[in-house]
Amino acid sequence: METTLRGVGVSHGVAIGEVRHMGTAVLEPPAKQIPAEEAEREQGRARQAVEAVAADLIARGNLAGGEAQHVLEAQAMMAQDPELMADVERRIAVGSTAERGVYDAFASYRALLAGAGEYLAGRVADLDDVRNRIVARLLGVPMPGVPDSDEPYVLIARDLAPADTALLDPALVLGFVTEEGGPTSHSAILARALGVPAVVALPGAGELAEGTLIAVDGSTGEIFVEPSDAKRAELESAAAARKAALTAATGPGATSDGHKVPLLANVGGPGDVPAAVEAGAEGVGLFRTEFLFLDDSKQAPSEEKQIAAYRAVLEAFPEGRVVVRVLDAGADKPLDFLTPADEPNPALGVRGLRSLLDHPDVLRTQLTALSKAAEGLPVHLEVMAPMVADRADAKAFADACREAGLNAKFGAMVEIPSAALRARSVLQEVEFLSLGTNDLAQYTFAADRQVGAVSRLQDPWQPALLDLVALSAEAAKAEGKSCGVCGEAASDPLLACVLTGLGVTSLSMGAASIPYVRATLAKYTLAQCERAASAARAADSAEEARRAAQAVLSGE
């Protein structure tokens, strides 16, 4: 009998197939004692396993490329963390086996992450995956991960580690569903990059029996268990219509009456550029430069290394707009040379622009590298600061840009509610705003963006969040300046129409979402988008806002 479940849709498309479950996590190894004379051998085994797993993660990253590569390289660094390895060796020295020493050391570090104001909870899944891989290697059992299958299937998991998500084969994995995670988790971001339909934060997903036929709608978050022939036909028809619309819609982003809405790409480095170009991105709305810095958490990359990476992206968009976010370190992206080690709540501490203003040499080097990278290129370079709280922050960043001789527009990200509430004040110092809706939602609702249990508050359809977007857009219009969105909200085609109706002047998203947003925008006039925006803001919940906007745009 057909039943319907609802999670959080994070990657567009429809997948219909049989359930296959992610491989079981590694069992806890026995806590047996070893003789003292075996400690050195066991320590050697542990080191070898750690190095092998780190090498495997790096190799997977090289195969995946793009943003996935940076995520997996960060996981490899996690595996090789010297303090963690020292703890493993201490435990082995007092009698633990290699596998038990690894298990207990990671458990201790896991507890620290989970207790760090919960902002670092998003890294716990990554840490668990690294531990499971090391322990599996030591025990000589198969690695946990994606099941073997010759037939296409829908993957079900408690959560998906980046190492698994990055190498999913879209020819076999039709879509995936997880019990945990949120719309801005690593798995969700990588799913969108792969173009695989995905639903997260669905409690009880693990109870779906192996081989059960399900239909996954990654746009609505609905899961249809044992769908009827009529429901399958309906979903397949809708998917075919969507695909036809994608093919038909080409060129710059615009509403049906010609109101231009530039569609830009979010990239993490040169590896993400080919997909952005293929999708028809009109430029880059968010170049996340922190991945370049995460290659070595002990020191900043040289000016020469930065110039090469920046120029590779800038050259891909001649005459296009490239918006670069300077280093956003801290919270879940700590850097030893930049980030305080003892902050009780890193998400509310010294992160983003605050870190850079405390280390002006790092900011100066990055701005100088960006200036040199753009020399001789026809690109329209824009540089923005993360975590701007007020006019004083905006002025400090603008002053730093001018002192570095940067020939570019400089702007501020709106991720803190105070910046949205005082947007006109901030715009006295900078030339544009860019809304990071992921963090803006997190700080507006006090809801960690990585925790599935509060994912409803991370929903970008929340009317309070739309109010803050509207305030920012209205302030920018009054000042004759631009206000874009570069958070994950822009990747939702329906919400893209609402954002346009709120006055947002550009939308930036993962490359895979650009065709969907382009096709949807092209169906509606600016006036329809404005009416949908008003209806959404008048609602009292995210679900009501979504329904209200849909009703307006469908003419109900």
Side-chain angles (χ1 to χ4, degrees):
M1 180 178 175
E2 180 181 315
T3 56
T4 304
L5 307 174
R6 182 182 287 277
V8 178
V10 295
S11 185
H12 307 301
V14 172
I16 302 174
E18 292 186 358
V19 163
R20 295 286 183 274
H21 286 270
M22 177 67 78
T24 308
V26 175
L27 296 175
E28 180 177 347
K32 66 179 183 181
Q33 291 290 107
I34 59 168
E37 60 269 21
E38 292 184 17
E40 188 173 344
R41 179 179 67 84
E42 289 294 289
Q43 288 171 339
R45 285 182 65 227
R47 284 192 295 270
Q48 288 175 359
V50 165
E51 291 305 317
V53 166
D56 177 63
L57 289 168
I58 290 171
R60 284 169 176 259
N62 290 336
L63 282 173
E67 194 163 301
Q69 181 173 3
H70 301 299
V71 173
L72 293 175
E73 286 173 351
Q75 261 198 303
M77 288 172 58
M78 187 183 286
Q80 296 170 305
D81 183 274
E83 290 187 17
L84 199 50
M85 196 62 224
D87 190 18
V88 170
E89 294 191 345
R90 279 194 298 270
R91 293 171 188 275
I92 294 173
V94 295
S96 288
T97 61
E99 47 267 35
R100 187 70 205 193
V102 167
Y103 187 89
D104 289 341
F106 272 73
S108 177
Y109 189 40
R110 187 186 199 280
L112 287 174
L113 287 185
E118 291 205 274
Y119 188 82
L120 295 177
R123 300 202 116 201
V124 168
D126 296 359
L127 187 72
D128 287 347
D129 180 60
V130 172
R131 177 204 65 200
N132 290 346
R133 290 174 184 278
I134 297 171
V135 172
R137 190 169 188 91
L138 288 165
L139 291 174
V141 301
M143 289 284 177
V146 179
D148 290 328
S149 175
D150 295 328
E151 298 296 324
Y153 59 90
V154 176
L155 181 63
I156 306 291
R158 182 180 62 81
D159 202 354
L160 279 171
D164 297 315
T165 317
L167 294 183
L168 291 180
D169 181 356
L172 283 176
V173 182
L174 303 171
F176 68 75
V177 181
T178 66
E179 294 193 46
E180 298 182 0
T184 59
S185 65
H186 279 155
S187 292
I189 292 170
L190 293 175
R192 285 188 284 272
L194 287 165
V196 177
V199 172
V200 301
L202 180 68
E207 297 172 13
L208 291 169
E210 190 87 0
T212 303
L213 182 70
I214 65 171
V216 178
D217 190 329
S219 299
T220 66
E222 291 174 306
I223 308 294
F224 302 95
V225 182
E226 298 290 0
S228 64
D229 290 343
K231 174 57 71 175
R232 291 183 63 176
E234 176 189 331
L235 291 170
E236 287 168 350
S237 175
R242 231 176 275 170
K243 186 174 181 180
L246 293 183
T247 305
T250 58
T255 58
S256 63
D257 55 342
H259 175 74
K260 293 183 179 180
V261 187
L263 302 181
L264 312 171
N266 294 344
V267 304
D272 293 332
V273 167
V277 172
E278 185 179 350
E282 298 167 59
V284 172
L286 173 61
F287 180 3
R288 302 182 183 96
T289 60
E290 58 268 20
F291 291 113
L292 183 63
F293 288 76
L294 290 170
D295 285 346
D296 183 355
S297 68
K298 303 297 181 186
Q299 60 183 1
S302 67
E303 183 179 304
E304 292 72 25
K305 184 176 181 180
Q306 291 189 54
I307 291 171
Y310 302 150
R311 194 169 181 90
V313 174
L314 295 175
E315 286 177 335
F317 295 95
E319 304 294 339
R321 177 186 179 202
V322 176
V323 184
V324 179
R325 180 176 69 191
V326 294
L327 176 62
D328 184 15
D332 63 341
K333 293 168 286 194
L335 293 171
D336 294 346
F337 67 90
L338 201 66
T339 310
D342 56 353
E343 285 190 304
N345 192 338
L348 301 180
V350 182
R351 63 166 293 197
L353 179 62
R354 298 166 187 175
S355 293
L356 293 174
L357 294 178
D358 281 351
H359 297 81
D361 54 324
V362 175
L363 177 58
R364 188 181 309 112
T365 299
Q366 184 171 25
L367 294 173
T368 301
L370 283 164
S371 181
K372 291 180 178 178
E375 285 178 0
L377 296 179
V379 70
H380 300 287
L381 176 63
E382 302 184 14
V383 182
M384 61 186 181
M387 300 298 291
V388 170
D390 55 16
R391 182 173 179 173
D393 278 351
K395 183 178 187 304
F397 178 65
D399 288 346
C401 289
R402 282 188 283 265
E403 288 168 13
L406 190 63
N407 182 23
K409 286 186 176 181
F410 24 91
M413 289 198 71
V414 177
E415 301 163 287
I416 301 173
S418 62
L421 293 168
R422 301 286 294 171
R424 288 198 73 168
S425 173
V426 170
L427 283 164
Q428 303 311 303
E429 305 293 344
V430 294
E431 298 171 84
F432 68 93
L433 300 178
S434 184
L435 288 141
T437 51
N438 306 349
D439 269 324
L440 185 57
Q442 171 170 256
Y443 292 123
T444 298
F445 297 103
D448 191 318
R449 55 187 284 187
Q450 299 287 355
V451 177
V454 293
S455 61
R456 79 171 185 86
L457 295 172
Q458 267 291 326
D459 192 325
W461 281 95
Q462 287 283 357
L465 187 65
L466 299 181
D467 286 344
L468 293 175
V469 173
L471 279 173
S472 303
E474 288 162 5
K477 184 177 181 180
E479 295 295 328
K481 296 179 179 179
S482 64
C483 176
V485 169
C486 64
E488 291 302 317
S491 66
D492 179 335
L494 182 62
L495 186 51
C497 294
V498 167
L499 295 173
T500 298
L502 292 174
V504 165
T505 55
S506 66
L507 299 166
S508 189
M509 64 209 76
S513 298
I514 291 175
Y516 290 92
V517 172
R518 181 191 292 119
T520 304
L521 270 177
K523 293 164 59 178
Y524 305 108
T525 65
L526 176 60
Q528 286 176 298
C529 293
E530 290 171 342
R531 288 196 296 272
S534 295
R537 288 184 68 188
D540 290 321
S541 71
E543 185 56 38
E544 287 177 15
R546 186 184 287 106
R547 284 200 301 266
Q550 181 66 69
V552 169
L553 294 177
S554 62
E556 294 177 11

